[in-house]
Amino acid sequence: MNKKWKWIAAFVLCAIVLVGNRLQENGQLNVDVKKIVYSSEDLTMMRNLLREVFGSETDTTITVSSETINQELLSFVAVKPFDNGYLLTYEQAIPILAIENGLVVYTGHSKTTGKTISVFYEDDTTITYGNVDSFSLLPYTSIERGSTIANKEIGDLYIKIEKDGKVLNLEETLEWMKEHTQS
């Protein structure tokens, strides 16, 4: 019964956003609904609000051991700064896996980073992967830990990690990668 109410609330929230967007386009509402809905701070606030209202489901599984996730990400041979992030050079193709549960917030093509995908994780970390060769997820797709989000062939992969609104420097980025890929 509880899941039914969650779906009804999600439907009502979606309808409110769509109606608000339509009213804003017609000039009847002075608030830019798209700006509110698409910013990561507001997504965090909405997610936390919905968690408080509906509570979190109890996990009935017990984790015995934690497998490594995305260890191939550490197999780069060179790194250099690029556009507020870093270019990691790979000599072999690698899959890019979700390090934990999250939400895809952007997929598209950027002038500086080519095919790009950004993922917002539950720990308030946003990771942007650029120069990827393929991805098959759309924005606002929910992802689970260990699922493939993109693929990178031989060459440079752009990565930018934002934690709590701050872009990590090279040392912090490498430390974060080691910590989250070998957990």
Side-chain angles (χ1 to χ4, degrees):
M1 183 71 169
N2 193 16
K3 288 191 178 230
K4 183 179 180 181
W5 286 108
K6 289 180 183 180
W7 279 105
I8 291 171
F11 178 75
V12 169
L13 181 62
C14 182
I16 290 171
V17 169
L18 292 173
V19 169
N21 187 37
R22 177 67 72 180
L23 291 173
Q24 190 268 331
E25 287 175 354
N26 291 338
Q28 297 172 341
L29 186 64
N30 293 333
V31 178
D32 187 4
V33 176
K34 287 182 182 176
K35 185 176 180 183
I36 293 172
V37 175
Y38 291 147
S39 72
S40 63
E41 295 85 20
D42 292 324
L43 284 173
T44 303
M45 185 267 312
M46 285 189 282
R47 186 185 81 223
N48 292 336
L49 176 69
L50 290 175
R51 278 189 180 165
E52 288 177 18
V53 170
F54 293 111
S56 61
E57 295 180 12
T58 58
D59 191 10
T60 57
T61 61
I62 299 172
T63 304
V64 176
S65 65
S66 180
E67 73 279 357
T68 58
I69 294 292
N70 218 17
Q71 200 165 22
E72 297 88 356
L73 199 60
L74 293 174
S75 66
F76 60 91
V77 294
V79 63
K80 61 183 172 185
F82 181 78
D83 195 33
N84 291 328
Y86 302 95
L87 288 177
L88 308 176
T89 304
Y90 292 90
E91 293 180 335
Q92 62 185 15
I94 63 165
I96 299 171
L97 307 175
I99 52 131
E100 63 181 63
N101 297 336
L103 182 71
V104 175
V105 292
Y106 176 79
T107 58
H109 188 83
S110 169
K111 187 177 189 180
T112 57
T113 59
K115 281 187 183 176
T116 303
I117 185 167
S118 291
V119 180
F120 178 74
Y121 291 109
E122 290 182 345
D123 66 349
D124 292 332
T125 302
T126 302
I127 303 180
T128 301
Y129 300 99
N131 297 332
V132 298
D133 292 297
S134 65
F135 56 79
S136 59
L137 300 172
L138 295 173
Y140 301 107
T141 301
S142 184
I143 56 172
E144 292 184 5
R145 184 176 201 260
S147 60
T148 302
I149 56 176
N151 291 302
K152 177 63 188 154
E153 298 298 324
I154 297 171
D156 291 336
L157 172 71
Y158 172 79
I159 187 168
K160 178 172 77 169
I161 302 173
E162 297 175 70
K163 177 79 173 154
D164 299 323
K166 176 187 165 235
V167 177
L168 301 185
N169 64 29
L170 181 58
E171 286 180 13
E172 293 169 330
T173 297
L174 295 176
E175 184 62 34
W176 186 94
M177 288 171 57
K178 287 177 189 174
E179 178 182 321
H180 286 85
T181 58
Q182 297 179 350
S183 58

